[in-house]
Amino acid sequence: MDQIIKIAVIGGGSWATANIKMLSDNHSPKEIFWWMRDKENIQYIKTYKHNASYLSSVEIKVPTENISNDLNNIVSKCEIILLNIPAAFLKNALSCLSPSSFKGKKVISAIKGFVPEENMIVGEFINKTFEVPFEDIIVLSGPCHAEEVALEKLSYLTVASPNCELATQFAALINTRYIKTNISDDIYGTEYAAVLKNIYAVASGICHGVGYGDNFQSVLISNAIREISRFVDIVHPIDRDIKESAYLGDLLVTAYSQFSRNRTFGNMIGKGYNVRSAQLEMNMVAEGYYASKSLHYINKQFKVNMPICRAVYAILYEGHSPSIEMKLLADQLS
């Protein structure tokens, strides 16, 4: 990589804004570019140096000329492309790009979701659609809520790639006094775990919404990490420690945190909201909703025993009663 790295952050939400902050606060030489769709938000950021819609307390230090809604132009200027678009909208957002757009570039997925139309994790989608070799792809995961990054609370991220040298180089671009990084070669396991934990956070919220307490929540999540372990060991069987922060840590914070949009979404479903009403009231994307449907189809191939995921799918997509489905699930947990 050149001494002055040019890196594009693609997306305008809270995690994209947190990534902008991390990159800006890190002192390694780099030039940051930022793409988002909303022209009004772009103009606001250029004028006031804050994202009015997400993490408004964060000061934006990206040069105004480097913020644009021209995706082709932004991507063409940068060697590293950091994707922050919700997985449900990724295919549409990147539709103006082609494999030639990504030739020679490194792609980082900071997205924790399946691409719904393809039922693929993001790394796999980028590889197959844009012909980016897996050695040039990084998955950014770990227990790290954007809201705590904004507050500069100490957080840990796992940077995973088959190319550990590349992962180490990218980690050096985001390390700060409040961000610590771990390196992993488990690109499949970390990404699948990052997606699955959103489904379990929805389950956690549903249980809370229908009236279960902390004792049951602990049983639910201890079963959830076993489900994750069973699934990733079948999909990508390598030697991994499921207790590491990229797996168990990410699951815990998403299932329990006040900042977890998936838990919030599940809590609303448990309290009687329908899916559309919950989505409209949150005004944020709960990746676990889309992930539940994709996993349902993916697991038809692998046939892993995942009763919690089955229960969430039944509630969200088959119209089952949350209270009845959680009671049935409780009889299957240990």
Side-chain angles (χ1 to χ4, degrees):
M1 294 181 184
D2 297 332
Q3 186 176 3
I4 301 296
I5 301 295
K6 292 185 177 181
I7 180 167
V9 176
I10 309 300
S14 57
W15 190 225
T17 306
N19 284 177
I20 288 287
K21 176 175 172 59
M22 289 187 290
L23 289 163
S24 300
D25 289 350
N26 172 279
H27 298 303
S28 301
K30 70 180 79 66
E31 185 175 5
I32 304 168
F33 294 77
W34 195 1
W35 176 89
M36 63 183 71
R37 188 187 302 276
D38 192 320
K39 291 182 180 179
E40 290 186 9
N41 209 25
I42 290 172
Q43 192 54 52
Y44 186 97
I45 292 170
K46 287 183 175 182
T47 303
Y48 299 106
K49 308 299 182 185
H50 293 274
N51 187 343
S53 301
Y54 301 96
L55 304 187
S56 57
S57 65
V58 171
E59 180 185 359
I60 305 301
K61 302 172 186 176
V62 179
T64 57
E65 65 271 17
N66 288 5
I67 307 173
S68 170
N69 70 337
D70 185 339
L71 184 58
N72 271 293
N73 185 45
I74 291 285
V75 169
S76 68
K77 291 178 177 179
C78 298
E79 306 100 81
I80 298 178
I81 313 300
L82 176 54
L83 300 174
N84 279 277
I85 300 167
F89 312 123
L90 181 66
K91 184 176 181 179
N92 179 260
L94 301 184
S95 61
C96 64
L97 303 178
S98 67
S100 63
S101 307
F102 287 93
K103 189 173 182 180
K105 300 184 187 297
K106 315 301 181 187
V107 180
I108 294 93
S109 170
I111 303 167
K112 299 180 177 182
F114 293 116
V115 180
E117 303 91 336
E118 314 296 334
N119 293 326
M120 293 180 185
I121 50 177
V122 173
E124 194 173 25
F125 172 75
I126 294 299
N127 170 258
K128 293 188 182 302
T129 306
F130 298 106
E131 301 173 10
V132 179
F134 279 111
E135 290 73 20
D136 291 337
I137 295 174
I138 289 172
V139 170
L140 192 62
S141 65
C144 190
H145 281 306
E147 292 82 359
E148 291 203 350
V149 172
L151 295 169
E152 300 186 359
K153 299 282 189 180
L154 183 61
S155 303
Y156 291 72
L157 286 168
T158 295
V159 184
S161 175
N163 183 348
C164 286
E165 182 181 352
L166 175 64
T168 301
Q169 289 173 332
F170 180 72
L173 298 177
I174 58 173
N175 281 319
T176 68
R177 64 179 178 78
Y178 57 88
I179 296 291
K180 295 186 181 293
T181 53
N182 302 307
I183 306 301
S184 170
D185 63 355
D186 185 16
I187 187 171
Y188 276 96
T190 53
E191 187 163 11
Y192 271 115
V195 178
L196 292 173
K197 56 90 183 180
N198 287 330
I199 303 174
Y200 298 117
V202 172
S204 177
I206 292 172
C207 290
H208 184 268
V210 299
Y212 287 90
D214 292 344
N215 292 342
F216 180 76
Q217 293 279 332
S218 67
V219 173
L220 179 79
I221 299 309
S222 65
N223 278 264
I225 193 63
R226 281 179 270 167
E227 281 195 18
I228 291 176
S229 182
R230 288 197 297 270
F231 186 81
V232 296
D233 285 349
I234 290 292
V235 173
H236 189 54
I238 65 170
D239 183 23
R240 61 171 64 83
D241 184 356
I242 203 71
K243 298 186 295 298
E244 289 181 354
S245 61
Y247 314 99
L248 178 59
D250 203 7
L251 170 65
L252 291 174
V253 75
T254 310
Y256 289 118
S257 174
Q258 61 177 319
F259 297 124
S260 171
R261 64 188 69 176
N262 288 284
R263 190 180 194 279
T264 299
F265 172 77
N267 186 47
M268 295 170 75
I269 298 296
K271 288 184 179 298
Y273 284 74
N274 62 38
V275 168
R276 185 62 179 153
S277 296
Q279 290 173 326
L280 287 171
E281 184 156 326
M282 285 179 61
N283 195 31
M284 297 179 80
V285 175
E287 291 275 21
Y289 168 68
Y290 301 98
S292 178
K293 185 176 182 180
S294 290
L295 180 71
H296 176 74
Y297 289 103
I298 291 169
N299 202 32
K300 286 184 177 181
Q301 173 188 350
F302 296 108
K303 297 180 173 58
V304 179
N305 181 32
M306 306 180 80
I308 302 173
C309 290
R310 283 201 306 271
V312 172
Y313 178 82
I315 293 167
L316 298 182
Y317 289 94
E318 295 178 342
H320 291 203
S321 161
S323 58
I324 293 174
E325 198 63 39
M326 287 299 114
K327 186 176 186 302
L328 294 172
L329 175 64
D331 292 336
Q332 301 176 63
L333 303 183
S334 61

Short mmCIF file of all heavy atoms in Angstrom, two decimals, residues 10-11 35 37 71-72 75 81-85 89-99 101-102 107 111 115 122 125-126 129-130:
data_model
loop_
_atom_site.label_atom_id
_atom_site.label_comp_id
_atom_site.label_asym_id
_atom_site.label_seq_id
_atom_site.Cartn_x
_atom_site.Cartn_y
_atom_site.Cartn_z
N ILE A 10 -18.43 3.86 2.75
CA ILE A 10 -19.65 3.81 1.94
C ILE A 10 -20.85 3.59 2.85
O ILE A 10 -21.02 2.51 3.43
CB ILE A 10 -19.57 2.68 0.88
CG1 ILE A 10 -18.26 2.77 0.08
CG2 ILE A 10 -20.78 2.72 -0.03
CD1 ILE A 10 -18.07 4.05 -0.67
N GLY A 11 -21.68 4.61 3.01
CA GLY A 11 -22.84 4.53 3.89
C GLY A 11 -22.92 5.75 4.78
O GLY A 11 -21.89 6.37 5.09
N TRP A 35 -19.02 8.43 1.08
CA TRP A 35 -20.20 8.41 0.21
C TRP A 35 -21.44 8.16 1.04
O TRP A 35 -21.48 7.28 1.89
CB TRP A 35 -20.10 7.30 -0.84
CG TRP A 35 -21.35 7.20 -1.67
CD1 TRP A 35 -21.62 7.86 -2.83
CD2 TRP A 35 -22.51 6.39 -1.40
NE1 TRP A 35 -22.87 7.54 -3.30
CE2 TRP A 35 -23.45 6.63 -2.44
CE3 TRP A 35 -22.86 5.50 -0.39
CZ2 TRP A 35 -24.70 6.01 -2.49
CZ3 TRP A 35 -24.11 4.88 -0.42
CH2 TRP A 35 -25.01 5.14 -1.47
N ARG A 37 -26.01 8.51 0.30
CA ARG A 37 -27.01 8.76 -0.74
C ARG A 37 -27.70 10.12 -0.58
O ARG A 37 -28.01 10.79 -1.58
CB ARG A 37 -28.06 7.65 -0.70
CG ARG A 37 -29.05 7.69 -1.85
CD ARG A 37 -30.15 6.66 -1.65
NE ARG A 37 -29.61 5.32 -1.54
CZ ARG A 37 -29.32 4.56 -2.58
NH1 ARG A 37 -29.48 5.01 -3.81
NH2 ARG A 37 -28.83 3.34 -2.39
N LEU A 71 -21.05 7.63 -6.22
CA LEU A 71 -20.36 6.42 -5.76
C LEU A 71 -19.21 6.03 -6.68
O LEU A 71 -18.12 5.68 -6.22
CB LEU A 71 -21.36 5.27 -5.64
CG LEU A 71 -20.81 3.96 -5.08
CD1 LEU A 71 -20.21 4.16 -3.70
CD2 LEU A 71 -21.92 2.90 -5.03
N ASN A 72 -19.43 6.09 -7.98
CA ASN A 72 -18.37 5.74 -8.92
C ASN A 72 -17.14 6.60 -8.71
O ASN A 72 -16.00 6.11 -8.72
CB ASN A 72 -18.86 5.87 -10.37
CG ASN A 72 -19.50 4.60 -10.89
OD1 ASN A 72 -18.83 3.59 -11.06
ND2 ASN A 72 -20.80 4.65 -11.13
N VAL A 75 -15.35 5.67 -5.29
CA VAL A 75 -14.67 4.38 -5.36
C VAL A 75 -13.43 4.45 -6.24
O VAL A 75 -12.38 3.87 -5.93
CB VAL A 75 -15.64 3.28 -5.85
CG1 VAL A 75 -14.90 1.99 -6.19
CG2 VAL A 75 -16.71 3.02 -4.79
N ILE A 81 -12.03 0.20 0.21
CA ILE A 81 -13.46 0.50 0.21
C ILE A 81 -14.06 -0.14 1.46
O ILE A 81 -14.08 -1.36 1.61
CB ILE A 81 -14.16 -0.06 -1.05
CG1 ILE A 81 -13.37 0.29 -2.32
CG2 ILE A 81 -15.59 0.44 -1.11
CD1 ILE A 81 -13.19 1.77 -2.56
N LEU A 82 -14.56 0.69 2.36
CA LEU A 82 -15.14 0.23 3.63
C LEU A 82 -16.66 0.32 3.54
O LEU A 82 -17.24 1.41 3.52
CB LEU A 82 -14.60 1.09 4.78
CG LEU A 82 -15.13 0.85 6.19
CD1 LEU A 82 -14.99 -0.60 6.60
CD2 LEU A 82 -14.42 1.75 7.19
N LEU A 83 -17.31 -0.83 3.46
CA LEU A 83 -18.75 -0.90 3.25
C LEU A 83 -19.53 -0.84 4.56
O LEU A 83 -19.28 -1.64 5.46
CB LEU A 83 -19.11 -2.19 2.50
CG LEU A 83 -18.47 -2.37 1.12
CD1 LEU A 83 -18.80 -3.75 0.56
CD2 LEU A 83 -18.95 -1.28 0.16
N ASN A 84 -20.47 0.10 4.64
CA ASN A 84 -21.29 0.29 5.83
C ASN A 84 -22.78 0.39 5.53
O ASN A 84 -23.55 0.86 6.36
CB ASN A 84 -20.87 1.58 6.55
CG ASN A 84 -19.65 1.39 7.41
OD1 ASN A 84 -19.75 0.94 8.53
ND2 ASN A 84 -18.49 1.73 6.87
N ILE A 85 -23.20 -0.04 4.35
CA ILE A 85 -24.61 0.01 3.97
C ILE A 85 -25.32 -1.20 4.57
O ILE A 85 -24.78 -2.31 4.53
CB ILE A 85 -24.74 -0.02 2.43
CG1 ILE A 85 -24.04 1.19 1.83
CG2 ILE A 85 -26.20 -0.05 2.00
CD1 ILE A 85 -23.84 1.09 0.34
N PHE A 89 -29.90 -3.46 1.66
CA PHE A 89 -29.89 -2.46 0.59
C PHE A 89 -28.56 -2.45 -0.17
O PHE A 89 -28.36 -1.60 -1.05
CB PHE A 89 -30.15 -1.07 1.19
CG PHE A 89 -31.32 -1.04 2.14
CD1 PHE A 89 -31.17 -0.61 3.44
CD2 PHE A 89 -32.57 -1.48 1.73
CE1 PHE A 89 -32.24 -0.59 4.33
CE2 PHE A 89 -33.66 -1.46 2.59
CZ PHE A 89 -33.50 -1.02 3.90
N LEU A 90 -27.67 -3.36 0.14
CA LEU A 90 -26.32 -3.33 -0.43
C LEU A 90 -26.33 -3.56 -1.94
O LEU A 90 -25.67 -2.84 -2.69
CB LEU A 90 -25.44 -4.37 0.26
CG LEU A 90 -23.98 -4.42 -0.23
CD1 LEU A 90 -23.26 -3.13 0.14
CD2 LEU A 90 -23.26 -5.62 0.39
N LYS A 91 -27.05 -4.57 -2.39
CA LYS A 91 -27.05 -4.92 -3.81
C LYS A 91 -27.52 -3.75 -4.65
O LYS A 91 -26.91 -3.42 -5.68
CB LYS A 91 -27.93 -6.15 -4.05
CG LYS A 91 -27.91 -6.64 -5.49
CD LYS A 91 -28.73 -7.92 -5.64
CE LYS A 91 -28.71 -8.42 -7.07
NZ LYS A 91 -29.49 -9.68 -7.22
N ASN A 92 -28.59 -3.11 -4.23
CA ASN A 92 -29.11 -1.96 -4.96
C ASN A 92 -28.14 -0.79 -4.95
O ASN A 92 -27.92 -0.13 -5.97
CB ASN A 92 -30.46 -1.54 -4.38
CG ASN A 92 -31.04 -0.33 -5.08
OD1 ASN A 92 -30.95 0.80 -4.59
ND2 ASN A 92 -31.63 -0.54 -6.25
N ALA A 93 -27.52 -0.53 -3.79
CA ALA A 93 -26.62 0.61 -3.66
C ALA A 93 -25.39 0.46 -4.56
O ALA A 93 -24.87 1.45 -5.08
CB ALA A 93 -26.20 0.78 -2.21
N LEU A 94 -24.92 -0.78 -4.72
CA LEU A 94 -23.71 -1.02 -5.52
C LEU A 94 -24.01 -1.36 -6.98
O LEU A 94 -23.10 -1.71 -7.73
CB LEU A 94 -22.89 -2.17 -4.90
CG LEU A 94 -22.42 -2.00 -3.46
CD1 LEU A 94 -21.55 -3.17 -3.04
CD2 LEU A 94 -21.68 -0.69 -3.26
N SER A 95 -25.27 -1.24 -7.39
CA SER A 95 -25.67 -1.68 -8.73
C SER A 95 -25.00 -0.88 -9.84
O SER A 95 -24.90 -1.35 -10.97
CB SER A 95 -27.19 -1.59 -8.88
OG SER A 95 -27.63 -0.25 -8.71
N CYS A 96 -24.53 0.34 -9.54
CA CYS A 96 -23.86 1.15 -10.56
C CYS A 96 -22.40 0.75 -10.75
O CYS A 96 -21.71 1.27 -11.64
CB CYS A 96 -23.95 2.63 -10.20
SG CYS A 96 -23.10 3.06 -8.66
N LEU A 97 -21.90 -0.17 -9.92
CA LEU A 97 -20.51 -0.59 -9.99
C LEU A 97 -20.39 -1.93 -10.70
O LEU A 97 -21.36 -2.68 -10.83
CB LEU A 97 -19.91 -0.68 -8.59
CG LEU A 97 -19.96 0.59 -7.74
CD1 LEU A 97 -19.37 0.33 -6.36
CD2 LEU A 97 -19.21 1.74 -8.43
N SER A 98 -19.18 -2.25 -11.15
CA SER A 98 -18.90 -3.50 -11.86
C SER A 98 -17.61 -4.10 -11.31
O SER A 98 -16.91 -3.46 -10.51
CB SER A 98 -18.75 -3.22 -13.35
OG SER A 98 -17.58 -2.43 -13.58
N PRO A 99 -17.27 -5.32 -11.71
CA PRO A 99 -16.00 -5.89 -11.25
C PRO A 99 -14.81 -4.99 -11.53
O PRO A 99 -13.87 -4.92 -10.72
CB PRO A 99 -15.92 -7.20 -12.03
CG PRO A 99 -17.35 -7.62 -12.21
CD PRO A 99 -18.09 -6.32 -12.44
N SER A 101 -14.72 -1.86 -11.32
CA SER A 101 -14.68 -0.81 -10.30
C SER A 101 -13.85 -1.20 -9.09
O SER A 101 -13.29 -0.35 -8.40
CB SER A 101 -16.11 -0.46 -9.84
OG SER A 101 -16.96 -0.16 -10.91
N PHE A 102 -13.79 -2.51 -8.82
CA PHE A 102 -13.10 -3.01 -7.63
C PHE A 102 -11.73 -3.61 -7.94
O PHE A 102 -11.06 -4.11 -7.04
CB PHE A 102 -13.97 -4.08 -6.95
CG PHE A 102 -15.16 -3.53 -6.22
CD1 PHE A 102 -16.39 -3.43 -6.86
CD2 PHE A 102 -15.06 -3.10 -4.92
CE1 PHE A 102 -17.50 -2.93 -6.20
CE2 PHE A 102 -16.17 -2.59 -4.25
CZ PHE A 102 -17.40 -2.50 -4.89
N VAL A 107 -11.38 -4.55 0.00
CA VAL A 107 -12.76 -4.28 0.42
C VAL A 107 -12.96 -4.75 1.85
O VAL A 107 -12.67 -5.91 2.17
CB VAL A 107 -13.77 -4.98 -0.51
CG1 VAL A 107 -15.20 -4.69 -0.05
CG2 VAL A 107 -13.58 -4.51 -1.95
N ILE A 111 -20.44 -4.70 7.65
CA ILE A 111 -21.87 -4.97 7.61
C ILE A 111 -22.16 -6.29 8.31
O ILE A 111 -21.49 -7.29 8.03
CB ILE A 111 -22.36 -5.04 6.15
CG1 ILE A 111 -22.03 -3.73 5.41
CG2 ILE A 111 -23.85 -5.33 6.08
CD1 ILE A 111 -22.18 -3.82 3.91
N VAL A 115 -27.01 -10.62 2.46
CA VAL A 115 -27.59 -9.96 1.30
C VAL A 115 -28.85 -10.75 0.94
O VAL A 115 -28.75 -11.90 0.48
CB VAL A 115 -26.61 -9.92 0.13
CG1 VAL A 115 -27.23 -9.22 -1.08
CG2 VAL A 115 -25.31 -9.21 0.54
N VAL A 122 -21.78 -10.93 3.27
CA VAL A 122 -21.31 -9.84 2.41
C VAL A 122 -20.00 -10.18 1.71
O VAL A 122 -19.82 -9.92 0.52
CB VAL A 122 -21.19 -8.53 3.21
CG1 VAL A 122 -20.56 -7.44 2.36
CG2 VAL A 122 -22.57 -8.09 3.70
N PHE A 125 -20.70 -12.32 -1.19
CA PHE A 125 -21.37 -11.55 -2.23
C PHE A 125 -20.37 -10.71 -3.01
O PHE A 125 -20.42 -10.64 -4.25
CB PHE A 125 -22.44 -10.66 -1.59
CG PHE A 125 -23.06 -9.68 -2.53
CD1 PHE A 125 -23.99 -10.10 -3.48
CD2 PHE A 125 -22.73 -8.33 -2.47
CE1 PHE A 125 -24.57 -9.18 -4.35
CE2 PHE A 125 -23.30 -7.42 -3.34
CZ PHE A 125 -24.22 -7.84 -4.28
N ILE A 126 -19.47 -10.04 -2.31
CA ILE A 126 -18.46 -9.21 -2.97
C ILE A 126 -17.54 -10.06 -3.84
O ILE A 126 -17.17 -9.68 -4.96
CB ILE A 126 -17.66 -8.41 -1.93
CG1 ILE A 126 -18.56 -7.40 -1.20
CG2 ILE A 126 -16.47 -7.70 -2.56
CD1 ILE A 126 -19.19 -6.36 -2.09
N THR A 129 -19.89 -11.43 -6.90
CA THR A 129 -20.48 -10.41 -7.77
C THR A 129 -19.44 -9.51 -8.41
O THR A 129 -19.55 -9.16 -9.59
CB THR A 129 -21.48 -9.55 -6.97
OG1 THR A 129 -22.44 -10.41 -6.34
CG2 THR A 129 -22.20 -8.56 -7.87
N PHE A 130 -18.42 -9.14 -7.65
CA PHE A 130 -17.44 -8.17 -8.13
C PHE A 130 -16.05 -8.76 -8.32
O PHE A 130 -15.10 -8.03 -8.59
CB PHE A 130 -17.39 -6.96 -7.18
CG PHE A 130 -18.70 -6.22 -7.12
CD1 PHE A 130 -19.52 -6.32 -6.01
CD2 PHE A 130 -19.13 -5.45 -8.18
CE1 PHE A 130 -20.74 -5.65 -5.95
CE2 PHE A 130 -20.34 -4.77 -8.14
CZ PHE A 130 -21.14 -4.87 -7.03
#
